[in-house]
Amino acid sequence: MTANQTDQHEGHPIVLVDGVCHFCQGLTKWIIKRDPEGKYHFASLQSDVAKKLLEKGNLSTDSMDTFVLIEDGKYYTRSTAALRLAKGLKFPYPLLYVLIIVPKFIRNAIYNMVARNRYRWFGQDEACMLPTPDIKDRFL
C-alpha cells in the first residue's frame, strides 16, 4: 500500500472478504448501502494489500473462507467480525450485536457451514469484483 492509500483509509475499519465469491460481493454491496457515512473500507482477501494486513495480524494468508474486520488495530474474524460490523451500521442492524452472547463455537459453526457452501449456493467469479466509480475510494 502506498502512503497515499494508507492516508485515505486511515481511521476506517477495514473489511476483508473473498473477492471472487458472489455471496461476499453481495454482502459488500449490502454493507455499503447501510453505511451511508462510508465508515467501512474494503479489500479482497486475494489482494496484496490484504495479504500484508493478514500477516500483520498473524492470520493465515491462504484461507479465503473467513471474513475479517480490522477495527482500531484489532482483528476480528468470522461471526465476531460480522456482529461487530453490524454494530456500526445504521439502525436497526446494531441490534444484531445482541447475538454476541451466543457462544462463539455455536456462532462460528453456523458461519463455517455457510462459508463451506457459499460457492455452491451463490457461485463465484474468475476475478474479483471491480468497484464502481462512486464507491471506488472505499476499496484498498
Side-chain angles (χ1 to χ4, degrees):
M1 216 165 20
T2 67
N4 204 16
Q5 286 175 308
T6 304
D7 293 343
Q8 176 184 352
H9 300 286
E10 191 172 316
H12 290 275
I14 298 171
V15 180
L16 305 178
V17 296
D18 181 347
V20 299
C21 168
H22 287 178
F23 177 74
C24 301
Q25 291 172 10
L27 180 63
T28 299
K29 292 173 188 173
W30 186 89
I31 293 166
I32 289 169
K33 283 184 181 178
R34 287 149 185 86
D35 178 28
E37 296 158 10
K39 176 180 176 179
Y40 294 101
H41 286 204
F42 304 87
S44 165
L45 283 166
Q46 290 85 351
S47 70
D48 291 336
V49 169
K51 285 182 180 24
K52 289 178 185 172
L53 290 168
L54 290 168
E55 287 171 356
K56 184 176 178 181
N58 294 317
L59 296 173
S60 170
T61 59
D62 297 326
S63 177
M64 296 297 130
D65 68 346
T66 192
F67 175 82
V68 180
L69 172 66
I70 306 166
E71 187 176 47
D72 297 325
K74 294 181 182 159
Y75 286 68
Y76 303 95
T77 61
R78 303 187 186 278
S79 65
T80 302
L83 291 173
R84 288 192 64 87
L85 186 141
K87 190 171 145 180
L89 297 176
K90 68 180 182 178
F91 187 81
Y93 301 102
L95 297 176
L96 292 172
Y97 192 71
V98 73
L99 295 173
I100 202 77
I101 65 170
V102 174
K104 192 175 184 177
F105 76 93
I106 294 172
R107 289 186 281 118
N108 281 343
I110 296 165
Y111 177 96
N112 291 339
M113 182 187 68
V114 173
R116 258 192 325 275
N117 294 292
R118 71 191 188 285
Y119 291 153
R120 187 169 9 130
W121 294 344
F122 302 100
Q124 71 183 96
D125 289 323
E126 294 294 318
C128 295
M129 172 185 91
L130 293 174
T132 58
D134 58 323
I135 59 171
K136 187 178 179 185
D137 61 335
R138 293 180 66 182
F139 287 78
L140 283 74

